[in-house]
Amino acid sequence: MKKGLVILLFGGGVFCLMYGGWQLLSSTMAQNITLDQARSVVAANVPENKHKSGSAPNDFQPEMNEVIGILGIPKLEAELPIVEGTDEDHLEKGVGHYRGTAFSGQNDQIVLSGHRDTVFRNFGQLEIGDEVIIEMNYGTFTYVIQETEIVDADDRTVIRSTAPNEILTLTTCYPFSYIGSAPERYIVYASPVFEQEVD
């Protein structure tokens, strides 16, 4: 009886590892395809004089599930595709832009979310002062991390207008090593670095 239980537990553990590995591989493949699309989006339709940080087209309204840009995190050597929407299908492809929040250069809160075990799996290494870069087809925007916090998974107060101040808010599940549906969210707040005009 005890031997059978050990075999059953061992088999279950092996299955979980294989299933988790397959999910990670599948997600990585989907993200690589989406990243290629994001690079094409960023490269296309760029005006000769890109918008400086702090400006964006007023009519920029992507469709749900549309690939809209790239999130770069230099410290993690990460280049991640940004997809419009935060449903499970969207987050499978990369970082999701929370519908209804602003885009870079629109002087309000931008909210991007990602899974802790895929796109944001090394998120805990980020520190105050680290840079985060968003590339869109209308410009490149650099942000510096100012603050982090941990909130309850059901706390929606982190999503709010910050106008006229632009704040990039990155969210993921927490604790990072938690198995199953995590009870909390890890929030990163970053402020834009405005380029100075050169005479």
Side-chain angles (χ1 to χ4, degrees), residues 118-133:
T118 56
V119 291
F120 286 163
R121 61 180 169 270
N122 296 316
F123 216 50
Q125 298 176 20
L126 294 178
E127 299 175 314
I128 305 300
D130 287 341
E131 286 191 348
V132 180
I133 301 165

Side-chain angles (χ1 to χ4, degrees), residues 1-9:
M1 182 73 175
K2 187 180 284 187
K3 186 177 179 181
L5 181 60
V6 169
I7 291 172
L8 181 65
L9 290 174

Side-chain angles (χ1 to χ4, degrees), residues 13 30 42 50 54 58 63 69-70 76 78 103 119 138 143 154 181 186:
V42 168
K50 278 188 172 184
N58 292 327
E63 299 292 327
I70 296 172
L76 304 182
F103 297 97
V119 291
Y138 58 82
Y143 302 83
D154 297 322
S181 183
Y186 189 79

Side-chain angles (χ1 to χ4, degrees), residues 52-69:
K52 295 290 184 184
S53 295
S55 63
N58 292 327
D59 59 351
F60 186 72
Q61 290 294 330
E63 299 292 327
M64 290 295 284
N65 205 34
E66 183 178 340
V67 180
I68 61 173

Side-chain angles (χ1 to χ4, degrees), residues 119-177:
V119 291
F120 286 163
R121 61 180 169 270
N122 296 316
F123 216 50
Q125 298 176 20
L126 294 178
E127 299 175 314
I128 305 300
D130 287 341
E131 286 191 348
V132 180
I133 301 165
I134 292 181
E135 294 180 74
M136 305 291 282
N137 70 350
Y138 58 82
T140 298
F141 301 80
T142 301
Y143 302 83
V144 173
I145 296 175
Q146 304 291 341
E147 181 186 356
T148 63
E149 71 172 335
I150 297 166
V151 301
D152 187 82
D154 297 322
D155 187 347
R156 295 291 180 264
T157 63
V158 297
I159 301 173
R160 59 190 182 276
S161 175
T162 59
N165 299 314
E166 184 163 312
I167 299 293
L168 172 61
T169 304
L170 306 175
T171 76
T172 194
C173 295
Y174 188 85
F176 299 121
S177 59

Side-chain angles (χ1 to χ4, degrees), residues 29 73 115:
M29 291 171 60
I73 308 176
H115 285 312

